[in-house]
Every structure is written in structure tokens, then in C-alpha cells.
Amino acid sequence: MNNPDIQILDILKKVEKPGRYLGNEWNAVRKEWDSASVRVVLAFPDTYEIGQSGLGIKILYHLINENPRYLAERVFSPWKDMEKELLNSGRKIWSLESRRPLSDFDLLGFTLQYEMTYTNILAILNLSGIPLKADERTSEYPLVMGGGPCVFNPEPLAAFFDFFVLGDGEEVILEILEKFAALKSQGASRKEKLAELAKIEGVYVPSFYDVKYNDSGTIARVIPLDGAPEKISRRVVEDLDKAFFPSKPVVPYVEAVQDRAVLEVFRGCTRGCRFCHAGSVYRPVRERSPERLFKLAKEIVSNTGYEELSLVSLNCSDYSRIKELARKLVEEYKGKYLGISLPSLRMDSFSLDLARMVQTLRRTGLTFAPEAGTQRMRDVINKGITEDDILTTASYAREAGWDSLKFYFMIGLPTETMDDVRGIIDIVMKVLKKTSMKLRVGVSPFVPKAHTPFQWHPQERIDSLKEKTGMLRKFLRHRKILFDCHIPELSFIEGVFSRGDRRLSQVLESAWNLGCRFDGWSEEFKFEKWKEAFERSGINPEFYTSRLRQFSEILPWDHLASRLDKEFFLSQAQSAVSETTLGDCRWNDCSACGVCSGEIENKLYGGGDNHSEEPFEFNKEEIKSLRKGLYRIRIKFSKLGDLKLISHLDLMRTFERAMRRANFPLAYTEGFHPRPRLYFASALSLGYVSTGEWLDIELAERREALEIKEKLKEELPEGIEILRCREIPLRADDLQSRIGLSLYNIELVNVDARLFSKEIIEEKLSQEETPLKRKDKDVRLGEFLESFRIIKFNNDFCNLELGIRVLPTGALKPDELLKQVLGLQQSNFGKIERTALLVREGAVWIEP
């Protein structure tokens, strides 16, 4: 490993997915520690696969690292097995890039994306040795900051954070770091640093505010201390076209939840859905120009090798130049099978033409959110779509070639009746009847959020929600419908913290102490533990969920300004009750929400062909012909160092993306999801190194073997080396089926010399009839062991070479074989290296 740390290696050997914790991915940034005046570690309180999918952490990570004065590294919540190993070993959790303890950094910044990750925040603090409570930290510890959508009501976390940042992080982070660097050089105290940071617009220091409560439990006053401002306003990027966006994002080895290139086409939404928190706190709409987007798209795809580009926003089909952008991308990447996905779509701005465009190169999924089943309910929430929009969009998708759709609905919305819930059943069955498509229907209980028109409204009770989900499950039982529902109890806890106050910090700490982790994962959520935490704290959770708040009540987040007027939320709450809708201010009258001020306003790049009737046409047969396999290349490579800790599937993705970055004319398979024609000889077990791996690739155009070797050398990560490369006949025998023998070099350590000797090992490995177990089946040693040789034996160390046959049914792993034959433990194995994969030619074994 780079900068070898035997303890870290020992820990990684024991966990399920060690690739989560490596930090040497493609495009990861590793700076000299001493070169930075301020060092930041960005933390996402969920697994690597979820956190590395987040757009915010990508932007901040690369923005900070582009500045030579600063350094940013990453850390994610360790999974349960990793947390256990860290606690058992006494090792502190480390940052991915430098593998330093988090306490070595100046700033520890958490992404606050979801309330149900809050216990993970405490777990990370605990594993890092940083005191949980902000008032218990001394100058030796980093300042703990938070950003993201949940900071618009961070009060339940106030005890654990030094400060929060409201709004667009890229607008303010460098300003924070610049001021922090100056304060650090001056030797400022912790309190002095916070006092100065609090002067930056968008920075909220909760310790500078005292909260008083009424006897009823509601808030009486929020009192600023030490000259702190009465209100903190969020920071807003005025011109997204000029804002930083990473063109060389990190490419994970481990498959991320959103494992694709991401391009933010615009930020904000003015549709005015009354339940939507993001629609409030990201206003106004700010688009990037199609020219900027196209340039960024080309750079990102070139620098990552991703096979899919996701155009993201709160509703990407609302981008004013979406058809123009989609046409250019399809034309640019024809024959390269780059999938263009639009993960967030509105049904009233989706067209047949757009549907045809996005599935031209590679078909990706389509997801829509009608949210409610009746028109009355859609008017209450101001969704702005009709039943005709829903049915027409489904028909467009069917006509364009899709055979399945995803729909998302909510239950428990304000004023909802059982007739409205039955409306979900009705509209789903109408879509099914009209299209015969497979439908995945997801239903979530509505959770009221701060800074929305429904922030005063009670959350529906668990028993009522269960009655509604039961009815939906019963009547949506159909072979073409896959129904899924969010757990009402989980939504209940989310609702407590989404509109909670500072008193909930004791509940949160208690739940963490009781073992609550990864609460957003239904299989990990422990409702009984949460109920116990509330009982221990003497707090009734229904105070935060079940009551109707008075419009005159001081809300826990009233001193935090989203820039939308409270009067606007109040008027919209009243309009919901009267079922009155509000138009989108992009093409209707101003909605008087209060967000626009000076240069902060809607910025659109209209004038494109979004409403053009010109049909989209593309020759799919031409695309297929461009990617037909005509040449075959055989590659020998090694897999060493850290990369022994990534799986075979991770290795396959690594090669695919390296070849796309190298711009090789890859041949592809047929079907809806074409894959590059890459054929690996044999999967290498996790934890093994190898100097004898083989891979065949098919190309649509000839490339010289030397060119391929040299280009791959530039695009593959450290740990993979191309050893040999040659052209072979296109119709050569399948590589995997020809491999008949694997050679391994194995180091055995800490062997008990009283029980083992060279002679004993030789004798036991010579017994061909020794019974073994392979996948619960009885086999013989002689079936698999072709040869063995003791290279070195010295006291408690033994170096063995094993030749293990690869049968049509598979092979035995060498460590499993030796465990059964010699009675060894996993701790007895040092390095295991596969030195060769061989095929039989007559009576001899040779390389393929």
C-alpha cells in the first residue's frame, strides 16, 4: 500500500467491501499535507456508495483542491463491520486520501442531506475521538461545520456543531477558508474564530443564540448573543454559468448508487409544489447555458470514462434548452453508447421527441412523480399536472420503446381522504390498461418540512398511514406492478427531526448510544430503540409531529432565512385549503415569494427548440454498424497493491472506463444495455494479488498493440500494469473456457513449528483422496490440486507454490484448500499471488 500502514491493512482484510475505504480512485486528489494552510475533511454520514453519489460533496471537494492554499479530503460512514473493527482495534477513523485521523484537520464538514443520517454523524465523531458536544471541544480539535438542505432547520444538531452554512456552498466556502486561514495564522482562539466566521453571510453559529421556551413547550424567544445577527440569510449563486463545476470528478472503484457522470443543468425550481422543501430553499431558477453544458459534458465524459451521463436538476425536462442539448449530446456520442439519463422529469414538460432522444444510444430508466392520485389532491399541493398529462406521458414512453416506468406518490398529504388514496390505485390501473407496461410504484408518507407552506401542518399518524398503505398494497397486487412503501415509523422519526428544536439533541445522543445507525435504511431502522430514546429523554415525539402549529407561533427555524417570505408560505398554506393553484413565475406573473433581489433572480437561456415540432430521427442501424467487433486484442496484466482490495466487478468497471477514457473504438453487445466486449480469463479473489491476469477486448477499428498498451498505461490506476498486448484472431477460442490451471505463490506466516514441518506439509498435500468441501459439495484433493512445491520453509514461515485445476464447475481457492488440508487459520496467510493462468496444449501447460 502507499505509505504502508499494517494496522489499516489488517482492518481492511476483515471487512466486506474494503474498496470503500481506499481513497486512491481515479481523479482523487492527494496533496502534500504541509503545503496547505487550511485542511478540510468533508464527511458524508452514509456509506461510500451513497455519499460519493452526492453532487454537493463533489463540487466542494474539487473546488477546495483547485486552490493551492487549501486541501480537502473525504470520509464516509463506515459500515457496521468497519465500525466494529475500528472499535476493536482502537484505530481512529481515517480520511481516505492521506489516511490521517479526522482530528488532524482544521475543519470537519458534514453534508446534511437527510435527517435519518444524524446518528451516523455522532458515530463518525466518536470514531474520530472528537468530543460529541461542541462546547466540550478545545483548540486541538477541528471546527465542525454542516451544510446541505437540512441546515434550514439544524436545531436538533445545534449541540454537536460549531457552525452551519446556509445556501450554495460553492458561493461561500472559499470565503470561509480565507478568513479561517487568517485567524489560524494569528493564533485566534476557538471562540474568536467562530465570532469572525459568524460575520460571513450565510454562516450560523448556534452557540451565539439562546432559545427560551414557553410552558407549553413552544419557543418564546430566540436571543442573539455577542452581537450575532437576528437572522441568517442563505447564500445564493447568482450566475450558475460562472459557478465552479468539477470536470474531473472522482470515479469510484466500488459501484456507487448513482454510478454515472453527473451534470447539473440548472438549480432551483419555481413550480411551487407546496410540499417541496427543495423547491423553496433552492429558488430562484438559474440555468447553465447549453454551450457551457455541452463543453462540461465532453470534459466530464473524457475525464471519467463513464458510460452514462445524467442531466440533473429538480426537474430536468423543464430546462429551457433541453431538446437542443439532448440532440447535441446524442450526435456527439453516437456509436459510443453513452447513455443520457434524465432522472427527474415532469409529466407536463416531457415529450415523445425527448423520449426518443434519451434512449437512442443506451436506454436508461424513466421515473415520474405524480405525487397524488386525484386532481383535487394535486391542486392542494400545486403539482400542476393533470390525469391527461400522466396518461399521455406514459403513452409517449411506450411509443418510444420503454416497457417499464417508475411512479412515486405520497400519502398523508394535508386534507387527504381515502378517496384521494383510492385515486392512486385508479390512475395506476389506467396507465397499466393504456400501456400494458411494467410499473414500479413507490409510496412514501408525507413529512412536513421547514420553509414550506405545510410547515405548520400536522403529520399523519402511523396507524392511519398503515391503513392507507394496506389498502394500496391490496389493490395494487398485479403481476405487472411492483409496489413498495416507505416505513411509516421511519417517516415519523424523520418528521420529528425535520421540524424539531434543540431539545432533541439528547434524544439523538441517546438513540446513538442505544445502537441506532443507518436509520434511513429500512432493514437497519430500529423503531423500538428510538421510542426508548424518547422515553429516556422525557420528550414526547408527537409534540413535533401531530399538532397543528399556530401561524403566530415562533418556529425553531424562524431566525434562518431561506429568502422566501413567511407571508408567502402562509398565503400558500391557505391556498392549499381552498384548492387554489399558483402558476410558475418563469412564464406567469410574479408569485411574490420574496426571493428575487438585485442580481438574485430567475436566469433562463430560452429560445431553444423545446417546443419545436420537428421530429427527432436517428439511424440506429448506423450506430450498431459503428460498433461491430472486427478486431480482438489479448492483454496480460498485473493487479497489485491496494487494488487487491477491489472486487472482480470493480476491476471490470475500471478497465471499461479506462478504455473509454483512452477513446478506444470498443465493440459492444446487442440489446437495450450494450456493454463493451471485454472477456476476462478468470475472476481473482478479493485480497489476492496477481502478475498473470488475462483479458480479451474486441474493437471496431484496428489499433496497434503497442498503442493500446501505452494508452492504457496512462488511463489505468496505480496497481494495474499492462505486461503484454497482442492481436489475435477475432474468432479465437473463448478465453475463460480455455483456462485449465491457476498457479499461486502463497506465504504462510505464524505457522506453529511444533505441528508443521516441510515433511508434514508435503505428506498432507500428497494425499489425493483427502476429502474436501466445495460449496457444500464433497470433493477430493486430487480433483483440484495439480501440483505443489515448497519454495522455502523456515521456522514459522513457509512459501508454497500451488497449481490448482480450473474445472468447468469452477476451482478451489488456495487458502480454502490449505485451511482444510493443513488446518490453517486465515491469520496464517500472508501474501497470496496468482502468478499464472494456463491452458493445456497437448501434454504441457502454456500461457493463452
Side-chain angles (χ1 to χ4, degrees), residues 413-457:
L413 288 160
T415 78
E416 182 181 75
T417 67
M418 290 303 284
D419 284 341
D420 295 310
V421 180
R422 278 187 282 270
I424 296 174
I425 301 167
D426 293 341
I427 193 64
V428 169
M429 299 311 291
K430 286 179 181 178
V431 171
L432 184 63
K433 182 178 180 180
K434 188 176 183 68
T435 67
S436 296
M437 301 173 79
K438 296 175 184 176
L439 302 177
R440 183 167 183 171
V441 179
V443 173
S444 296
F446 167 62
V447 177
K449 297 287 183 176
H451 301 279
T452 69
F454 293 151
Q455 63 184 353
W456 295 279
H457 201 277

Side-chain angles (χ1 to χ4, degrees), residues 272-275 280 377 379-382 414-415 446 448-449 451-458 499 548-551 555 565-582:
C273 297
R274 292 171 180 137
F275 61 85
S280 294
M377 199 70 249
D379 289 345
V380 167
I381 64 175
N382 203 52
T415 78
F446 167 62
K449 297 287 183 176
H451 301 279
T452 69
F454 293 151
Q455 63 184 353
W456 295 279
H457 201 277
R499 294 188 294 167
L548 177 66
R549 289 159 171 78
Q550 299 301 309
F551 290 138
L555 302 173
D565 295 335
K566 196 172 182 179
E567 290 72 20
F568 171 72
F569 292 139
L570 176 58
S571 70
Q572 284 302 292
Q574 293 167 337
S575 293
V577 175
S578 64
E579 301 171 20
T580 305
T581 60
L582 177 71

Side-chain angles (χ1 to χ4, degrees), residues 389-402:
D389 291 327
I390 298 170
L391 296 176
T392 300
T393 298
S395 298
Y396 282 162
R398 182 65 183 178
E399 189 175 341
W402 271 271

Side-chain angles (χ1 to χ4, degrees), residues 47 66 88 179 275 279 323 328 339 353 397 402 415 469 477 498 536 633 646 648 682 686 711-712 724 789 821:
T47 62
E66 282 215 343
N88 289 343
K179 179 162 282 192
F275 61 85
K323 283 189 182 180
K328 289 184 71 174
D353 217 23
W402 271 271
T415 78
T469 58
R477 191 172 290 129
S498 71
R536 286 186 179 186
I633 302 295
I646 69 170
H648 182 63
S682 178
L686 191 69
K711 281 195 172 183
L712 278 180
R724 198 178 307 163
R789 180 168 65 97
V821 175

